[in-house]
Amino acid sequence: MPGYHVAQFNVATMREPLDHPEMRGFVDQLERLNRLADASPGFVWRLQDASGDSTAMRPMGDTVLLNMSVWESIEALHAYTYRSDHAKAFAARKQWFIPSGARDLVLWWHPAGSIPTVDEARRRLDLIRAEGPCADAFDFKNRMPPPAA
């Protein structure tokens, strides 16, 4: 049986369209932060199209951006999120995105060697929003162990 990696999915509702001057601070650092993620220890994969990011993918509505990636461990994802240059952008997110009042992040264990789908990620986000953290949908504060081998 294969091991597991941690998958993450997060969504954010933009205050303005990406080409609006108010979004420039976000857009200007996107490529750099994606390169940083790609080079980070424990990084496995991230959702992207031919442009190199996922900003054109809008399955949750025209104003909702999504991000999905896979990491070798929760610790590796946490280090990128909160202890790399990404932390500065994360701290400034309210400049560009409207706080939702709902959970906007979900983590789950995904079989190593496979890639999660956006539909699966949406189901996991719906699950944590409806039921709170559980073995199939959790967050950094409520971590769950990987499935038993």
Side-chain angles (χ1 to χ4, degrees), residues 3-4 14-16 18 20 24-25 38 41 44 52 73-74 85 88 91 96 98 114 129 138:
Y4 289 87
M14 297 181 293
R15 291 188 178 276
E16 302 290 345
L18 282 176
H20 191 280
R24 186 174 183 137
D38 294 349
V44 175
S73 66
I74 296 173
D85 239 10
K88 294 175 192 170
W96 310 299
I98 300 167
S114 65
R129 285 177 170 176
F138 52 94

Side-chain angles (χ1 to χ4, degrees), residues 34-94:
N34 283 334
R35 281 195 317 267
L36 177 63
D38 294 349
S40 292
F43 172 82
V44 175
W45 171 87
R46 68 181 166 85
L47 181 67
Q48 60 183 302
D49 63 17
S51 71
D53 63 48
S54 60
T55 58
M57 299 175 185
R58 305 287 175 85
M60 297 179 73
D62 290 343
T63 62
V64 179
L65 295 185
L66 54 92
N67 175 284
M68 183 167 56
S69 58
V70 176
W71 296 77
E72 291 177 354
S73 66
I74 296 173
E75 294 76 20
L77 172 58
H78 189 272
Y80 169 74
T81 304
Y82 298 109
R83 293 194 304 264
S84 75
D85 239 10
H86 177 271
K88 294 175 192 170
F90 183 74
R93 68 192 179 279
K94 290 180 183 174

